Amino acid sequence: MPPIYRLILRCPRNVFGITTCRADFGDNHIVELTTEDISRCGTCVIGVPESLQRGQLVSLYFQLPGSNNEIRLEARVAWRQWEKAGLQFALTPSGQILLQRSIEYLLEMQGILKVIHGTLTGKLRSFLSKKLPDYMIPSSFTILNSLPLTLNGKVDRKALPTPDQKRIDRGEKASVSPRTTLELQLVQIWENLLNIHPIGVTDNFFELGGNSLLAVRLMSQIQKLYGRELPLSALLQSSTIENLASVLGSINIQLPQSPLVNLQAGIANKLPFFCVHPVGGNILCYMDLSQCLGTEQPFYGLQAVGLTGEKEPFSTIPQMAAHYIAAIQEIQPNGPYLLGGWSMGGVVAFEMAYQIQQQGQEVALLALIDSLAPVHTPKFDDARLLTWFLRDLGGGANSLTEFEEALRQFEPEKQLHLVLEEAKQANLISPDMEFEQMLRLVKVFSANMRAMADYVPSTYPEQVTLIRASVESIFDPQYSSDETLGWNKFTQKPIIVCRVPGNHFTMFAKPQVEVLTEKLKFFVQNVIGN
C-alpha cells in the first residue's frame, strides 16, 4: 500500500475567537471582559479597568470555545493599551490540553483546516506525481495541528490518529459519477475491493489505496465479469475508471446478456425491487435511490436492450415487458413482485404488471414515478428526437428550440455529429465517446420514444401507486389538470397519488431523492408488512 504521511500544521499565533470571561484582579475585584483572540500563549481582552498594571496577576474564569465547562486559568498582564490588554498564560499541563482543544475547535469552526486540507493536499499530490510513480504516492494525508507528546516531551506515536482510508483526498477536483453501465459496473467493483464509498470515474486507483495485490484481484474480477483478461500494465496506463472503461470498450468483450443490473444486493429474505429504465435506456439514474433505500433492500435496475450494440432495441412496449419479466423471473420465479419505473420506465412497468397478472402471479407494488400515461401521441421528426435526446441527457434544463431548428438544415448523419459535439462540450457524455457509441444511444432513445407513441395500455385491475414531482414537468402541459397523469383511464381501482420535492429530473438528486426514498419505503413496507 502507498505510504501514509502526516502533515503537521503549526497552530497560528493568534486565532480569532470572541467569548466572554470573568477576570479576578484580587480583593474580589471581578470584571466581565471580552476576548478578541486566543492562543496557547495568551489572549487579548477588551474592557479592562483603568487600574490594571503591566505585570499584574489575573485569574480568568471562562468557557473555552468548544467546551461546556467553565475553567480557571492564571495569567499575567503582558501589555496594556487603552481598554485592551494582553494576558500571558501560566498553564498547567491539563490547562495546555484544554486550550489546545479549544484552538483546534476554533480552527475547525472557522473553516481554516478545511481550506488547508483541500488546497495543501492537492498541491502535495500534484508535486509528488511529478517525482514519483503512481503506486508510491501517499493514499491519504492527515493534517495535525501539533504532534502529540509523551510526558517526557517526545513524540507519542501511539497517540497519532489513524488515517481515514475511506476518505478520498481529491484536492479541488469534484467527484464525477458514472455515465455508462460499464463505468457503473467498474465503480461497484472498485468500491467493494477498496472499501471506499463513493468513488468517481476520474479517481485514481493507486491514489485510493490500490496496490499490486489489489490490482491483481481487480483484473481477476474484470476477467470473470467480461470474459477478457487484461494485463496489469493496462491498469498502470489507465488507472481511472473513465480510462479503464475506454480500454474495455475498445475491445470485443463478452457483455452480460441479461437486462438486469444489480445496483444493491441487499439481504436474501427481502423481496427485490425491480426498476425499469427511463427513455434513455440507462439505469444510472437509480444509483442514489438504491443506496438511500438502505443496504438491506435488494434493488435491480432493468436497462434497455441495444445500449451495447449486441442486439437491436425492442420496437414495442409489450416486447420489452415480456423480455424483462423473463429476466426478473430468473431471479424471482414467483410473486409477489415489487415493480416500478421512472418516466418511460413506469409505462413499461405498467405493462409488465399487466402481463404478470395475466400469468396468475401477484404484483404487490406497482410504483410509477412521474410517469405519463400514453394518452397523447406526440409528433416528432429526426431533428426533434435528437433535440429531446440532448435535452434528456442534460436533465431537461433547456428547451433547445433554436438548436432543433438549426438541426433541420442538415442531413441525418450530420445532425448526429452535431449532437455528439454539443453533448461533449456540455460534459454530458465522456469526452472520448465515439460516433458509433453515440449512435447506439440515439437508436435506443428513438426506439423507446416510438414504442411509447404506439403503445395502447390494457386496463389493469389492481392497485397503482403514482409518485409525482411537486414541480410540473416541461414535458406534460396537457396533463396539468389531471392529478393521475392520465393513468385513471387504464385502472379499475383508484390510484394512490403522492407528491415529492423537485421536478421530473431533480427528484432523483440529493436531497430530494431522500424524500422519494422515504415514500417508496413506506409503500414497500405497506404491501409486504415488514
Side-chain angles (χ1 to χ4, degrees):
M1 180 173 290
I4 297 171
Y5 293 98
R6 296 175 176 87
L7 303 178
I8 310 304
L9 174 64
R10 294 299 179 188
C11 181
R13 183 177 298 273
N14 295 90
V15 181
F16 178 75
I18 296 177
T19 185
T20 57
C21 67
R22 293 181 296 114
D24 186 353
F25 297 98
D27 299 327
N28 294 321
H29 184 197
I30 298 178
V31 179
E32 192 89 7
L33 300 177
T34 301
T35 66
E36 186 177 67
D37 59 16
I38 191 169
S39 76
R40 286 173 293 180
C41 298
T43 182
C44 175
V45 291
I46 305 173
V48 297
E50 295 182 0
S51 60
L52 186 67
Q53 301 294 321
R54 182 178 176 181
Q56 186 174 340
L57 295 178
V58 181
S59 296
L60 297 177
Y61 300 87
F62 60 99
Q63 183 176 317
L64 287 170
S67 173
N68 295 322
N69 300 318
E70 186 179 67
I71 67 168
R72 172 182 172 177
L73 294 178
E74 299 297 328
R76 183 183 297 274
V77 178
W79 56 268
R80 161 79 189 278
Q81 186 176 19
W82 305 106
E83 80 282 3
K84 290 185 179 182
L87 305 182
Q88 183 177 0
F89 292 136
L91 298 174
T92 62
S94 61
Q96 289 179 349
I97 294 174
L98 289 173
L99 192 58
Q100 179 62 36
R101 288 175 180 172
S102 177
I103 293 172
E104 291 175 4
Y105 172 81
L106 283 172
L107 288 170
E108 184 70 33
M109 292 301 294
Q110 294 172 20
I112 297 174
L113 292 183
K114 186 175 181 180
V115 171
I116 292 176
H117 190 278
T119 56
L120 184 59
T121 57
K123 291 179 179 178
L124 278 171
R125 193 178 300 283
S126 176
F127 172 79
L128 292 175
S129 66
K130 300 174 183 177
K131 305 291 183 180
L132 301 172
D134 284 346
Y135 64 88
M136 291 187 68
I137 296 176
S139 61
S140 178
F141 295 90
T142 301
I143 294 181
L144 303 178
N145 292 323
S146 61
L147 284 172
L149 302 176
T150 64
L151 295 177
N152 295 328
K154 297 182 179 180
V155 176
D156 188 355
R157 298 186 180 276
K158 293 182 180 180
L160 289 171
T162 302
D164 184 1
Q165 291 295 97
K166 293 188 178 182
R167 186 187 67 217
I168 303 174
D169 291 325
R170 293 191 177 93
E172 299 177 357
K173 295 191 302 180
S175 176
V176 179
S177 300
R179 297 156 295 197
T180 66
T181 303
L182 185 55
E183 287 182 349
L184 169 62
Q185 291 168 338
L186 289 174
V187 165
Q188 291 175 328
I189 294 173
W190 284 32
E191 287 181 347
N192 290 331
L193 196 63
L194 299 170
N195 193 28
I196 295 176
H197 306 272
I199 290 178
V201 299
T202 57
D203 292 328
N204 187 288
F205 179 80
F206 298 102
E207 291 179 2
L208 299 179
N211 53 34
S212 58
L213 294 177
L214 290 173
V216 171
R217 291 176 58 191
L218 174 62
M219 295 295 104
S220 175
Q221 292 188 30
I222 288 176
Q223 181 182 10
K224 289 179 182 179
L225 184 61
Y226 301 111
R228 174 68 65 170
E229 183 177 359
L230 291 179
L232 286 176
S233 59
L235 182 60
L236 295 174
Q237 297 168 358
S238 305
S239 53
T240 68
I241 288 173
E242 183 180 58
N243 293 338
L244 193 58
S246 179
V247 171
L248 288 169
S250 64
I251 58 179
N252 186 24
I253 59 175
Q254 180 182 348
L255 294 167
Q257 297 300 307
S258 174
L260 278 175
V261 178
N262 187 353
L263 294 179
Q264 187 157 264
I267 57 178
N269 64 346
K270 297 203 72 167
L271 288 176
F273 183 75
F274 299 100
C275 205
V276 185
H277 61 83
V279 68
N282 215 308
I283 44 80
L284 301 176
C285 53
Y286 298 140
M287 282 190 64
D288 286 339
L289 177 63
S290 63
Q291 292 172 0
C292 288
L293 280 172
T295 56
E296 294 186 354
Q297 177 61 56
F299 192 107
Y300 288 87
L302 285 153
Q303 69 177 5
V305 172
L307 284 176
T308 54
E310 79 287 0
K311 291 181 181 178
E312 290 296 311
F314 288 111
S315 59
T316 71
I317 298 296
Q319 286 178 340
M320 291 182 213
H323 183 68
Y324 298 161
I325 290 171
I328 69 174
Q329 288 181 339
E330 289 289 327
I331 302 294
Q332 183 187 343
N334 300 299
Y337 293 100
L338 305 177
L339 303 179
W342 169 49
S343 196
M344 176 205 169
V347 178
V348 182
F350 184 90
E351 175 64 23
M352 290 174 65
Y354 174 78
Q355 292 187 19
I356 289 174
Q357 192 268 340
Q358 291 296 106
Q359 294 176 356
Q361 297 274 11
E362 178 188 358
V363 176
L365 175 65
L366 173 57
L368 312 183
I369 307 175
D370 217 37
S371 299
L372 305 179
V375 293
H376 301 289
T377 303
K379 296 180 180 180
F380 46 78
D381 56 7
D382 287 343
R384 178 157 295 179
L385 273 178
L386 286 174
T387 303
W388 286 350
F389 169 76
L390 190 60
R391 185 171 60 180
D392 187 66
L393 283 179
N398 301 305
S399 62
L400 299 176
T401 303
E402 294 181 1
F403 184 76
E404 179 182 328
E405 293 301 323
L407 282 180
R408 289 198 173 93
Q409 303 175 21
F410 301 96
E411 295 297 321
E413 185 171 339
K414 178 63 174 177
Q415 291 180 4
L416 283 169
H417 282 286
L418 289 172
V419 169
L420 175 62
E421 291 306 313
E422 186 73 18
K424 285 184 177 180
Q425 290 180 12
N427 200 30
L428 302 177
I429 58 175
S430 176
D432 59 356
M433 178 175 282
E434 301 292 340
F435 177 77
E436 290 301 320
Q437 293 173 287
M438 170 65 83
L439 182 60
R440 290 198 297 268
L441 296 179
V442 171
K443 286 179 68 174
V444 169
F445 182 89
S446 300
N448 287 340
M449 287 296 300
R450 292 189 169 94
M452 280 198 297
D454 295 337
Y455 176 55
V456 180
S458 301
T459 301
Y460 184 64
E462 302 300 330
Q463 186 70 64
V464 174
T465 299
L466 175 62
I467 304 175
R468 292 193 56 178
S470 295
V471 181
E472 296 293 338
S473 169
I474 60 174
F475 298 120
D476 62 340
Q478 301 178 82
Y479 296 82
S480 58
S481 61
D482 187 350
E483 185 68 9
T484 70
L485 299 180
W487 289 109
N488 58 343
K489 298 178 176 64
F490 306 106
T491 58
Q492 291 182 358
K493 296 183 178 181
I495 297 175
I496 298 174
V497 181
C498 72
R499 295 266 188 167
V500 296
N503 63 29
H504 187 69
F505 293 95
T506 61
M507 63 190 300
F508 279 89
K510 291 181 178 179
Q512 296 91 292
V513 71
E514 296 169 1
V515 181
L516 172 59
T517 300
E518 290 304 313
K519 295 292 186 183
L520 192 55
K521 276 183 180 179
F522 171 79
F523 292 124
V524 169
Q525 293 169 357
N526 189 49
V527 297
I528 64 177
N530 60 15

